[in-house]
Amino acid sequence: GAFLGILALVFVAFANVTSIVSIIYSTCLAIRLAGGRFLEPVSWAVLTGVFFFVPAVAVFFPSVMYDNFFKFLVYTSLGFAPLSGVYLVDFFFLRRTELRVRDLYEPSFRSRYAFWSGFTPAAIVAVIVGAVVYFVLLNPLTLVGLDLFKYASASIPSFLAGGLAHYVLTRLFVQRLGKGGYERAEKSGA
């Protein structure tokens, strides 16, 4: 009855709040670390407040999200599919599963993973390459895909293209310039 229904809604609300809080915390922490010295003077309350602004406004216009949900998914996949390929290749093939945890949490100006002031052009180009592959296979504006999309989706080719581009660009440029903390992979001949 009503009691069990309300109880179930309370559990769902609690589960959503706790998961959103952990996502917001980790995202704002990443933003703060990536911002380095620029974001050091910004208080935690201001940083999270700014981050919450867009969702706080969007909650008053739910039809915009619901009516465009599939387009929203396609646009997020456009970036996340190749980014996942970059992550996988970087961790398993370029770094051979070895990371220095302390450097992951250091500000970008101190971390071995800072690349060029916190940016790695090789990964950015790789994600763009993967996004272009995704866009060619499935247009996010019209949701119309090529015939290949029916068999391979857009995410898998985008994932593979992004990962391959990252591997090639990192081996050709980033490692040779001594950026990104790839020492072990360089010494092992990977």
Side-chain angles (χ1 to χ4, degrees):
F3 175 74
L4 289 178
I6 291 170
L7 187 63
L9 285 175
V10 168
F11 279 114
V12 168
F14 182 73
N16 284 326
V17 167
T18 56
S19 60
I20 291 298
V21 166
S22 69
I23 290 168
I24 298 295
Y25 172 76
S26 60
T27 302
C28 287
L29 180 61
I31 290 169
R32 173 170 229 123
L33 291 173
R37 292 182 181 159
F38 176 73
L39 288 179
E40 272 184 18
V42 177
S43 74
W44 186 253
V46 169
L47 182 66
T48 55
V50 168
F51 189 80
F52 270 112
F53 179 74
V54 172
V57 170
V59 78
F60 292 105
F61 304 98
S63 64
V64 173
M65 282 302 293
Y66 290 129
D67 294 344
N68 296 296
F69 183 69
F70 288 109
K71 289 182 181 179
F72 172 76
L73 286 180
V74 170
Y75 275 111
T76 56
S77 296
L78 190 83
F80 281 122
L83 188 59
S84 297
V86 168
Y87 287 157
L88 182 131
V89 165
D90 193 76
F91 183 69
F92 287 104
F93 297 104
L94 294 169
R95 297 191 189 282
R96 305 264 189 221
T97 69
E98 184 177 301
L99 286 174
R100 296 189 183 184
V101 176
R102 178 171 294 228
D103 280 305
L104 293 174
Y105 295 97
E106 289 286 345
S108 62
F109 59 90
R110 282 193 295 235
S111 173
R112 71 186 312 107
Y113 305 126
F115 296 91
W116 289 270
S117 299
F119 292 96
T120 170
I124 293 168
V125 168
V127 169
I128 292 169
V129 166
V132 168
V133 168
Y134 194 103
F135 192 88
V136 167
L137 292 172
L138 177 64
N139 185 329
L141 300 172
T142 62
L143 298 178
V144 174
L146 296 179
D147 287 336
L148 178 63
F149 173 75
K150 295 175 192 174
Y151 306 104
S153 80
S155 295
I156 293 171
S158 174
F159 172 90
L160 295 171
L164 180 63
H166 179 61
Y167 183 84
V168 169
L169 292 170
T170 300
R171 296 284 293 158
L172 288 177
F173 302 109
V174 179
Q175 282 183 326
R176 290 184 180 172
L177 294 171
K179 298 288 188 176
Y182 290 104
E183 294 87 6
R184 181 172 177 244
E186 289 174 359
K187 290 177 186 173
S188 67

